[in-house]
């Protein structure tokens, strides 16, 4: 079993829709949680970094962490065509080791 | 503020050759990590450097090596290239070696093709 599981999609939504992206993990040692966005031919770009259960909001993006269920989510409100990218979740333990999901490909259709 | 700079952006090499990739982290970032990204395997950790010392190493053969210089710039080397080494190699820097260090800033990567 992989330590981080992420549905690869692809996910296709109409412009303006709410997008929900999810990851599950198995290791309780993960204390820090991230979402990255990766456009084609680019490196991943950090969207959200959080280290507590609950919600963290930044503009149209909300990251949700449920440590008891070992589940994290990223919600994108009012999705735009420019949100079309691959989204990677990542977990970090206290030893500074990162574990990435395989990514979910998102297309927002105008 | 300049981002993470990786050079070269693209490389084509022949099997058996060796290659050196370069990374300049964000100014003030002293921790540098390298990842290999392929469509089938996703992001796979190669190594992490801090203060010129390798702190962590992933599960890659000894053909993959790296180093960090006193100015935090880093290089990775792959010797005796194999076709399976074709991938996007990403360098990432962070503020420090211990969390919370607010995640990585990635470069745009070096796309290596081995023929």
């Amino acid at each position: 079993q992989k330590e981080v599981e992420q549905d690869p999609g692809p996910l296709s939504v109409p412009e303006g829709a709410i997008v929900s992206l999810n990851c599950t993990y198995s290791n309780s040692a993960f204390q820090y949680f991230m979402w990255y966005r990766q456009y084609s031919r680019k490196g991943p770009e950090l969207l959200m970094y959080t280290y507590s259960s609950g919600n963290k909001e930044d503009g149209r993006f909300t990251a949700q962490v449920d440590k008891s269920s070992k589940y994290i989510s990223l919600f994108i409100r009012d999705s735009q065509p420019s949100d079309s990218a691959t989204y990677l979740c990542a977990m970090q333990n206290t030893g500074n080791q990162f574990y990435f999901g395989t990514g979910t490909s998102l297309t927002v259709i105008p | 503020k300049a981002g993470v700079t990786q050079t070269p952006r693209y490389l084509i090499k022949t099997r058996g050759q060796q290659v050196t990739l370069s990374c300049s982290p964000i100014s003030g970032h002293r921790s540098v990590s390298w990842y290999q990204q392929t469509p089938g395997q996703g992001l796979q950790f190669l190594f992490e450097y801090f203060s010129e010392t390798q702190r962590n190493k992933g599960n890659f053969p000894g053909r993959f090596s790296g180093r960090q210089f006193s100015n935090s710039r880093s290089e990775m080397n792959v010797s005796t290239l194999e076709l399976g080494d074709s991938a996007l190699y990403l360098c990432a820097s962070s503020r420090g070696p211990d969390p919370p260090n607010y995640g990585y800033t990635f470069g745009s990567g070096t796309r290596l093709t081995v023929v």
Side-chain angles (χ1 to χ4, degrees), chain A residues 29-98:
Chain A
F30 293 147
Q31 297 295 317
Y32 308 91
F33 307 92
M34 289 144 278
W35 286 95
Y36 288 84
R37 176 177 63 196
Q38 186 173 20
Y39 291 115
S40 181
R41 301 186 181 280
K42 295 285 190 182
E45 170 195 11
L46 180 66
L47 288 175
M48 304 287 272
Y49 183 93
T50 183
Y51 45 89
S52 58
S53 283
N55 294 350
K56 180 178 179 180
E57 192 173 311
D58 184 1
R60 296 185 296 109
F61 298 91
T62 299
Q64 188 176 80
V65 174
D66 183 343
K67 287 187 178 180
S68 61
S69 301
K70 296 189 178 68
Y71 188 91
I72 71 169
S73 299
L74 178 71
F75 298 97
I76 307 174
R77 290 185 300 281
D78 187 25
S79 55
Q80 303 294 311
S82 59
D83 296 327
S84 298
T86 296
Y87 290 79
L88 299 155
C89 64
M91 325 280 173
Q92 182 186 16
N93 61 23
T94 54
N96 200 40
Q97 292 169 312
F98 288 72

Side-chain angles (χ1 to χ4, degrees), chain B residues 50-78:
Chain B
F50 177 74
S51 291
E52 302 177 67
T53 301
Q54 187 179 88
R55 279 176 40 110
N56 286 305
K57 188 177 190 306
N59 189 24
F60 277 81
R63 301 184 296 107
F64 292 81
S65 63
R67 59 178 175 167
Q68 186 181 34
F69 302 96
S70 58
N71 62 358
S72 296
R73 194 177 68 83
S74 178
E75 288 182 347
M76 67 163 281
N77 184 277
V78 188

Side-chain angles (χ1 to χ4, degrees), chain B residues 7-57:
Chain B
T7 55
R9 288 295 310 278
Y10 302 93
L11 266 178
I12 300 176
K13 290 286 189 179
T14 304
R15 265 184 307 175
Q17 287 186 311
Q18 75 164 20
V19 66
T20 299
L21 312 181
S22 180
C23 171
S24 293
I26 286 178
S27 178
H29 281 197
R30 296 169 59 200
S31 181
V32 174
S33 298
W34 289 89
Y35 284 83
Q36 181 194 68
Q37 188 176 37
T38 58
Q41 298 294 321
L43 277 165
Q44 293 191 282
F45 173 72
L46 282 156
F47 15 71
E48 177 202 359
Y49 288 90
F50 177 74
S51 291
E52 302 177 67
T53 301
Q54 187 179 88
R55 279 176 40 110
N56 286 305
K57 188 177 190 306

